[in-house]
Amino acid sequence: MAEEKTFPMTLEGKQKLEQELEDLKLKRRPEVIKRIKIARSYGDLSENSEYESAKDEQAFVESRISQIENMLQYAEIIDNEDVDKDEVSMGRKVTIQELPDEEPESYQIVGESESDPFAGKISNESPMAKGLLGHKVGEEVEIEIPNGTMKVKILSVE
């Protein structure tokens, strides 16, 4: 039997998914069901755009519920207790500076289910995170990125 994929995430990320799941089940799902009932009352379903729209939304909601339930079932909460405080690891925020003289940038390395680059959260599967993981404060690291390599210095880890 194939091994199930795990979803590494922070405790905060797990709680966020649990909240989204609750919202989908208790609010969005009933709203969509209500929209479908109303659209059905309009008659001919073959040319009923409201019905089609509501059915599409229902498919999205049900798919997202299933996806979140799967992620939560196989969630692996990140534990950094046994990792040095100055080592880059999942769940930690790292501040780097691209060399020679770019502005410092900070990222939290999280599981792909919680990644949000616009919020400074990058997936542990990203080239940047893969290049930083396991390195320590003060180290200069060459990171393979899609368009070549970049050299960065690790300024801090929180």
Side-chain angles (χ1 to χ4, degrees), residues 121-134:
K121 295 181 176 190
I122 60 172
S123 166
N124 63 312
E125 300 291 325
S126 71
M128 176 72 77
K130 284 181 178 179
L132 293 170
L133 287 168

Side-chain angles (χ1 to χ4, degrees), residues 9-62:
M9 62 184 70
T10 62
L11 184 57
E12 174 190 345
K14 182 178 185 225
Q15 291 168 341
K16 218 171 162 181
L17 281 176
E18 289 169 338
Q19 182 61 45
E20 182 182 352
L21 181 62
E22 184 178 319
D23 182 62
L24 287 168
K25 284 182 168 182
L26 300 179
K27 292 181 186 163
R28 295 247 342 247
R29 182 187 266 165
E31 288 170 1
V32 171
I33 291 170
K34 185 177 178 182
R35 284 184 47 212
I36 289 171
K37 284 181 182 176
I38 292 169
R40 274 192 178 148
S41 71
Y42 297 153
D44 185 10
L45 299 181
S46 65
E47 294 182 20
N48 187 330
S49 63
E50 289 89 358
Y51 179 76
E52 288 301 318
S53 172
K55 289 299 283 182
D56 288 345
E57 186 176 351
Q58 181 184 39
F60 170 79
V61 167
E62 294 304 325

Side-chain angles (χ1 to χ4, degrees), residues 64-80:
R64 184 65 181 151
I65 287 171
S66 177
Q67 181 184 34
I68 292 172
E69 286 176 338
N70 186 53
M71 286 190 289
L72 290 173
Q73 180 178 356
Y74 298 104
E76 183 179 299
I77 302 303
I78 300 164
D79 179 17
N80 287 320

Side-chain angles (χ1 to χ4, degrees), residues 55-119:
K55 289 299 283 182
D56 288 345
E57 186 176 351
Q58 181 184 39
F60 170 79
V61 167
E62 294 304 325
S63 172
R64 184 65 181 151
I65 287 171
S66 177
Q67 181 184 34
I68 292 172
E69 286 176 338
N70 186 53
M71 286 190 289
L72 290 173
Q73 180 178 356
Y74 298 104
E76 183 179 299
I77 302 303
I78 300 164
D79 179 17
N80 287 320
E81 291 303 311
D82 298 332
V83 180
D84 288 343
K85 297 290 184 205
D86 65 343
E87 183 177 325
V88 179
S89 62
M90 287 204 36
R92 292 201 172 144
K93 185 176 181 179
V94 59
T95 301
I96 59 168
Q97 179 181 22
E98 187 176 350
L99 299 175
D101 58 1
E102 295 291 322
E103 290 293 315
E105 299 175 9
S106 296
Y107 301 102
Q108 181 180 16
I109 299 176
V110 296
E112 63 184 315
S113 62
E114 8 172 7
S115 72
D116 181 358
F118 297 111

